[in-house]
Amino acid sequence: QVQLVESGGGLVQAGASLRLSCAATGRTFSSYFMGWFRQAPGKEREFVAAISWSGANTYYTDSMKGRFTISRDNAKNTVYLQMNSLKPEDTAVYYCAVDIRIVTDWRQWRYWGQGTQVTVSS
């Protein structure tokens, strides 16, 4: 079993920055992908970004590319999401996830964290 714990969320004003962290424990493997998803109230969970642990491949939703940056620290089994120029539309619960392959459909990811709230005021 893999456990994922997100942190770093909070309340900020539009234009501010936040860095989310996701620490993985348990059975983790360097070949696994780690990803970020978000879910706003009343909306379906959507893909944000993902990164491979065995290479330098990164993936982003087009609307977030350039503002959000995903990175990893394998020594700490941790993935980060640096979020800049935040907008009110970014308000959501942000979740990290782990799987052996990358897909944008959240239903196909195996392990999930509990989520961290990000609120952006205008």
Side-chain angles (χ1 to χ4, degrees):
Q1 183 71 33
V2 175
Q3 293 82 43
L4 303 171
V5 179
E6 303 99 330
S7 62
L11 173 63
V12 299
Q13 292 186 332
S17 298
L18 282 173
R19 190 179 78 158
L20 306 182
S21 300
C22 176
T25 60
R27 295 184 177 91
T28 59
F29 302 92
S30 61
S31 61
Y32 277 42
F33 292 88
M34 298 188 73
W36 288 97
F37 295 76
R38 69 183 187 184
Q39 187 168 18
K43 296 184 178 180
E44 191 171 11
R45 191 169 302 183
E46 65 176 342
F47 175 80
V48 175
I51 187 169
S52 64
W53 284 87
S54 60
N57 299 326
T58 59
Y59 308 86
Y60 298 92
T61 295
D62 288 341
S63 63
M64 303 168 196
K65 189 175 183 179
R67 295 193 299 122
F68 292 5
T69 303
I70 190 170
S71 61
R72 58 183 167 90
D73 185 340
N74 287 350
K76 298 180 179 179
N77 287 327
T78 299
V79 65
Y80 305 95
L81 184 68
Q82 178 67 43
M83 304 187 294
N84 298 325
S85 301
L86 283 164
K87 305 174 181 179
E89 306 90 88
D90 297 319
T91 296
V93 177
Y94 284 71
Y95 301 89
C96 67
V98 168
D99 211 299
I100 61 173
R101 78 278 188 269
I102 182 170
V103 291
T104 56
D105 183 2
W106 67 270
R107 301 173 186 85
Q108 300 189 42
W109 287 69
R110 180 70 173 88
Y111 300 103
W112 291 88
Q114 84 290 342
T116 185
Q117 177 71 47
V118 172
T119 303
V120 184
S121 62
S122 60

